[in-house]
Amino acid sequence: MAETRTEALHQNARGLDIQTPDAILSSLADAQIEAAKAVRGAIPAIARAAEIIASRLNGGGKLAYAAAGSSGLMALADALELPGTFGIKRERIAILIAGGDDAFKVLAGGPEDDTEEASAAIADAGIGKGDCLIAISASGTTPYAVRAIEDARRRGAATVAIANNKDTPLLRLADVAILLETPPEVIAGSTRMGAGTAQKIALNMLSTLTAVHLGHVHDGYMVNLMADNIKLRDRAARIVAAVTGRGRDEAARLLEKSGGAVKTAILLAAGADSADAAEKLLDGTGQKLRPALSEIEGSKGRNASVLIKTEPEKGQQGD
């Protein structure tokens, strides 16, 4: 097997084991920073992928992640946060990791070669037309990830690939190929380091832009969060207060009236007649808060215009 970039020796790695601790750590930190920079070159591809994912989720489809090893951990970290951060329903997200649940205890290498397990995972998750699969592999050749993307394509799903080596099978198979051309690792082949860092950044960017397209972000606030603990309930109240200019107590009252829905509470503050009316308004704007707020402001303006036109002019009123 020809040496790939992720298996090559970093230019600063020779003699690493006899350097001072500060020098070793400086090399590791610098390598992580360089790896993070690789994500900038992938921005156009990430943007295309986010549009596709958002369209599938808007259409009622699922988002699936498929990966092995450390790439699987990056996928897991991104996927598990989506319900709490952006309110995307858990049943709309599938996480397929080589080795299954056992991988959360022992991250063995063997399962990444198990193509039959990948096929079974795609079938069991019901991935098909209307869904989207993100497959991640630092090498771009991991059999589990490659088979997952092959099967997802065959079943009609849209596909996105993330890899750290160019011209690899995974990237060639995908509808959108996201190449994160990170430098060689300071510890050759240890892709949990620079390659993993770049993957995590790219996945965070991808899912966040998807959430923006879905209307779950407003002025940098996560307005579709799932407030299921003390911290998040407090955050929800602070978001409502910040967007509406209301006090914290009033924001908490509005959230109670909205059943904890941040967007609905904001629309109630803006003048929506009821929580039901606010939710119908959001349905009409594709769950986007800004146009819903504009709709309320426009309605206020129209009502004011009617009142002005029908008010008797001075001198025509009775004594």
Side-chain angles (χ1 to χ4, degrees):
M1 185 180 294
E3 184 179 73
T4 58
R5 189 178 179 92
T6 52
E7 296 294 328
L9 186 68
H10 192 278
Q11 60 183 359
N12 297 332
R14 296 193 184 279
L16 184 74
D17 54 300
I18 56 174
Q19 293 176 15
T20 66
D22 283 2
I24 294 171
L25 293 175
S26 292
S27 292
L28 292 173
D30 290 344
Q32 293 278 40
I33 292 166
E34 286 303 308
K37 290 178 181 177
V39 180
R40 284 201 169 274
I43 284 175
I46 294 171
R48 290 196 300 274
E51 287 185 5
I52 291 173
I53 295 168
S55 70
R56 295 304 187 275
L57 289 173
N58 259 332
K62 295 188 292 289
L63 171 61
Y65 297 70
S70 58
S71 293
L73 298 181
M74 298 303 104
L76 182 70
D78 192 67
L80 288 180
E81 294 276 9
L82 297 185
T85 305
F86 298 123
I88 297 172
K89 293 181 179 178
R90 296 184 189 280
E91 60 266 26
R92 304 279 297 283
I93 301 165
I95 307 168
L96 316 179
I97 297 183
D101 290 346
D102 289 342
F104 302 142
K105 300 174 183 176
V106 180
L107 204 60
E112 74 174 46
D113 296 332
D114 193 338
T115 54
E116 290 185 6
E117 182 194 337
S119 292
I122 290 290
D124 290 346
I127 303 304
K129 189 175 181 181
D131 301 324
C132 185
L133 174 81
I134 306 171
I136 309 109
S137 163
S139 68
T141 60
T142 304
Y144 181 94
V146 171
R147 175 61 66 85
I149 210 167
E150 286 174 339
D151 279 23
R153 281 179 60 89
R154 180 177 56 78
R155 296 166 67 95
T159 55
V160 175
I162 299 176
N164 299 79
N165 287 312
K166 62 184 179 181
D167 299 327
T168 51
L170 196 72
L171 295 177
R172 288 194 291 269
L173 283 166
D175 295 318
V176 180
I178 299 173
L179 171 62
L180 306 172
E181 204 165 6
T182 48
E185 305 288 354
V186 175
I187 308 300
S190 183
T191 53
R192 72 187 182 90
M193 301 173 74
T197 294
Q199 288 173 2
K200 185 177 191 308
I201 294 170
L203 285 166
N204 286 168
M205 291 166 60
L206 177 56
S207 57
T208 300
L209 183 56
T210 297
V212 171
H213 288 319
L214 292 171
H216 299 337
V217 177
H218 178 88
D219 281 345
Y221 292 113
M222 52 178 83
V223 291
N224 207 49
L225 66 83
M226 184 185 296
D228 57 0
N229 63 24
I230 294 171
K231 179 187 74 175
L232 292 178
R233 285 192 290 273
D234 178 68
R235 181 178 296 164
R238 284 189 282 111
I239 290 170
V240 173
V243 174
T244 64
R246 304 293 182 94
R248 283 288 303 281
D249 290 345
E250 175 67 3
R253 188 189 68 77
L254 290 166
L255 276 167
E256 186 175 349
K257 191 174 179 181
S258 72
V262 172
K263 292 182 198 175
T264 303
I266 290 170
L267 291 177
L268 286 170
D273 293 334
S274 65
D276 285 344
E279 287 162 12
K280 286 178 183 176
L281 191 54
L282 285 167
D283 288 341
T285 62
Q287 292 300 312
K288 291 181 171 61
L289 182 58
R290 196 176 301 277
L293 287 167
S294 296
E295 197 61 36
I296 290 176
E297 287 303 312
S299 176
K300 286 179 180 177
R302 288 191 296 272
N303 291 339
S305 177
V306 170
L307 287 171
I308 291 168
K309 287 178 182 178
T310 57
E311 184 179 357
E313 293 181 5
K314 289 183 179 178
Q316 293 183 337
Q317 295 182 10
D319 292 335

